[in-house]
């Protein structure tokens, strides 16, 4: 498992490689939702998403020998950029396996950090299998996007910052794909401030964690959502265990709620956020929080989205 | 005229009403331009633009009697929102005169702060005359968007923050419409750090300040630019005098340079900025700075832009 000590150690290890992102109060979102709403702006994080935290913690912790062999990662985008970024910082070779329909901005950013990009299939399972194959063939270390204690510990550092910046927070809300961010968040919050609620949010059309928790076992589903970073088919082993132990509630948001939250964040907060990054705000605006919660911190997980896609989404909801 | 003391006094007066906006370093823009580039994010300012500074300084400085009569302002949008915001904070009535083609987001925001909106013509001159008329008829105080020492002193507070946050800055770059922001910036910089360069930027198709400085007298021109906040027909009396005295250079940017800078700021900095707010970055990217400048702070003046307009601009440059 992962403990608060691991997260504190991660924080020291990645300190100079990642931003302490701002926690922004939003009068507009507070007025609209009835909660007192703060946004943890991980869209302003290095490489454009919280993933830089976990990837850096994993890559910086490798031995000299492991580093010299390089790293390989499977990713729909943000994790790939993050691994490319972390590898570049220590001069390690990186191969990123991306889906054939990956967003151009994410592919280009990984290449920009010096990584090699390999395309494979469209599902998380397909690209993970290809990455495992590359790892076996080359001896490169696989950096899993979420089922790795070092990665989870790194992701948890965002929640440590939230608790420091807002000691009287009532609830922390985070999106769920494979479960890396929610797991790190849950450990950071529950092992330091057990009274603070942790809420995980999934798209209603891509809710492998919710289905798995309901059935009491990890369950594979098919998914389809505008939130391309959250298209996981099955939760990770570690995330499933941590979510079951620590997360107070899992809620769902619709596709329209996700896009509307994304556009509202642009319009009123002047921040570009990707659809996956807006699901936590969508849940807050829909009021899907436990009773008794007043002061809430929603993690805006990332901002990597092609501008053409932004234009399409604006037209789809505002034309 | 306006002095550094006025700007320091303005800062104290408006302290609790406006944000101290972040000065964000951009590795991407630095790499692309060859300068060391920092952005003063006034798009994250109250009411979405630096204008909240000047309007607050003016409105908060009114006498009890003046406040009770209310205020009136002419604006293509951001100044109107700012006056509406400042008036709401002290419970004063506000009328905003906007062009008939004002962006919807700006009209709605002014109304949201409780202001009454009156539409008149399409040019700055037409709406200013209507506002003066309303002022004469009702006794409401006219808050000029730039030709007012209190407004200019308020706008200068952004540059005070830049100098504090980045003491070794070589140049401060600001957009020019009527000249309020560049005037406040120039006084703040030159009367505290005379060695720091001040650069004003105008759209090549809306350059009333440049034409006026070249001819040695305030000159009225016709304008047309994507940067709707900078469509001034003639510089203000005070701004013209201050720019002539203090500004090191005036540079021009093309329409495409403006839109490309705006999209780049979205894509890489994850910040929504309006076209007018991107002209300073456009000038930096085009390298139009005096020789010897290395560390530069560009003021992103505002972020109020309709999302439909954002979609159009993306399609126009990226389709």
């Amino acid at each position: 498992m992962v403990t608060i000590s691991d997260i504190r150690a991660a924080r020291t290890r990645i300190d100079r490689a990642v931003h302490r992102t701002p926690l922004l109060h939003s009068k507009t979102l507070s007025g609209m939702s009835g909660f007192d709403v703060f946004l943890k702006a991980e869209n302003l994080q290095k490489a454009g998403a919280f993933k830089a935290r976990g990837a850096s913690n994993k890559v910086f912790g490798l031995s000299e020998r492991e580093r010299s062999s390089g790293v390989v990662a499977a990713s729909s985008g943000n994790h790939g950029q993050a691994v490319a970024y972390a590898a570049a910082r220590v001069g390690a070779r990186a191969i990123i396996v991306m889906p054939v329909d990956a967003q151009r901005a994410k592919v280009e950013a990984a290449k920009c950090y010096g990584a090699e990009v390999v395309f494979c299939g469209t599902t998380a399972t397909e690209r993970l299998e290809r990455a495992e194959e590359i790892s076996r063939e080359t001896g490169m270390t696989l950096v899993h996007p979420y089922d790795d204690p070092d990665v989870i510990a790194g992701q948890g550092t965002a929640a440590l910052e939230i608790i420091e910046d807002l000691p009287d927070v009532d609830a922390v809300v985070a999106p769920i794909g494979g479960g890396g961010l929610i797991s790190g968040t849950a450990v950071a919050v529950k092992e330091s401030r057990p009274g603070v609620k942790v809420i995980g949010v999934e798209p209603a059309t891509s809710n492998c964690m919710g289905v798995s928790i309901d059935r009491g076992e990890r369950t594979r589903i098919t998914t389809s959502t505008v939130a391309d970073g959250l298209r996981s088919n099955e939760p990770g082993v570690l995330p499933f265990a941590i979510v079951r132990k620590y997360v107070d509630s899992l809620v769902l948001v619709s596709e329209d709620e996700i896009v509307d939250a994304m556009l509202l964040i642009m319009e009123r907060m002047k921040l570009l956020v990707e659809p996956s990054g807006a699901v936590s705000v969508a849940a807050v605006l829909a009021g899907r929080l436990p009773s008794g919660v007043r002061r809430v911190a929603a993690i805006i997980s990332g901002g990597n989205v092609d501008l053409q896609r932004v234009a399409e989404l604006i037209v789809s909801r505002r034309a």
Side-chain angles (χ1 to χ4, degrees), chain A residues 21 40-45 48-50 271-274 300-303:
Chain A
T21 53
K40 179 66 170 170
E42 287 292 300
N43 60 325
L44 305 180
Q45 187 50 270
F50 74 93
L271 294 175
L272 185 65
V273 53
E274 59 187 277
I300 295 191
S301 53

Side-chain angles (χ1 to χ4, degrees), chain A residues 101 118 205 260 287:
Chain A
D101 60 350
V118 170
T205 52
D260 286 346

Side-chain angles (χ1 to χ4, degrees), chain A residues 208-259:
Chain A
C208 67
M209 185 66 80
V211 169
S212 297
I213 293 291
D214 284 349
R215 296 200 187 164
E217 62 179 359
R218 290 170 63 238
T219 304
R220 175 172 297 263
I221 63 169
T222 56
T223 64
S224 161
T225 172
V226 66
D228 60 301
L230 306 179
R231 286 179 197 147
S232 296
N233 301 109
E234 190 176 16
V237 174
L238 260 175
F240 177 68
I242 294 172
V243 167
R244 189 141 71 158
K245 180 175 180 189
Y246 278 139
V247 171
D248 294 283
S249 71
L250 295 179
V251 301
L252 301 177
V253 290
S254 74
E255 298 293 286
D256 284 352
E257 286 172 341
I258 294 169
V259 178

Side-chain angles (χ1 to χ4, degrees), chain A residues 21-261:
Chain A
T21 53
L23 186 69
L24 304 165
H25 184 249
S26 172
K27 210 166 175 177
T28 301
L29 297 180
S30 299
M32 291 177 71
S33 67
F35 301 102
D36 196 21
V37 182
F38 293 77
L39 304 183
K40 179 66 170 170
E42 287 292 300
N43 60 325
L44 305 180
Q45 187 50 270
K46 287 282 183 188
F50 74 93
K51 296 274 189 178
R53 297 174 182 268
S56 295
N57 192 44
K58 176 72 178 182
V59 173
F60 299 172
L62 295 177
S63 68
E64 274 303 317
R65 194 165 156 281
E66 287 168 326
R67 277 191 202 182
S68 69
S69 300
V71 292
V72 56
S75 171
S76 64
N78 283 341
H79 176 60
Q81 286 186 51
V83 171
Y85 168 75
R89 282 199 59 113
V90 295
R93 183 183 169 206
I95 295 177
I96 313 300
V97 184
M98 290 195 176
V100 293
D101 60 350
Q103 296 224 357
R104 193 181 53 82
K106 298 188 177 182
V107 176
E108 285 183 2
K111 287 184 178 169
C112 188
Y113 290 121
E116 300 152 58
V117 174
V118 170
F119 294 96
C120 177
T122 56
T123 67
T125 309
E126 287 171 291
R127 56 185 176 270
L128 185 55
E129 285 172 0
R130 181 76 186 103
E132 286 167 345
E133 195 175 75
I134 292 171
S135 174
R136 280 194 305 273
E137 287 167 0
T138 63
M140 297 173 95
T141 298
L142 178 70
V143 183
H144 194 283
Y146 46 83
D147 219 347
D148 181 301
D150 292 326
V151 170
I152 291 172
Q155 318 303 30
T157 58
L160 280 192
E161 295 170 7
I162 291 172
I163 289 168
E164 283 179 6
D165 289 346
L166 196 68
D168 56 351
V169 65
D170 297 317
V172 178
V173 186
I176 302 182
L181 179 62
I182 190 70
S183 298
T185 301
V187 173
V189 171
K190 290 297 184 180
E191 295 190 2
S192 67
R193 301 282 310 285
V196 175
K197 304 286 186 197
V198 175
I199 295 117
V201 187
E202 293 181 295
T205 52
S206 183
N207 61 335
C208 67
M209 185 66 80
V211 169
S212 297
I213 293 291
D214 284 349
R215 296 200 187 164
E217 62 179 359
R218 290 170 63 238
T219 304
R220 175 172 297 263
I221 63 169
T222 56
T223 64
S224 161
T225 172
V226 66
D228 60 301
L230 306 179
R231 286 179 197 147
S232 296
N233 301 109
E234 190 176 16
V237 174
L238 260 175
F240 177 68
I242 294 172
V243 167
R244 189 141 71 158
K245 180 175 180 189
Y246 278 139
V247 171
D248 294 283
S249 71
L250 295 179
V251 301
L252 301 177
V253 290
S254 74
E255 298 293 286
D256 284 352
E257 286 172 341
I258 294 169
V259 178
D260 286 346

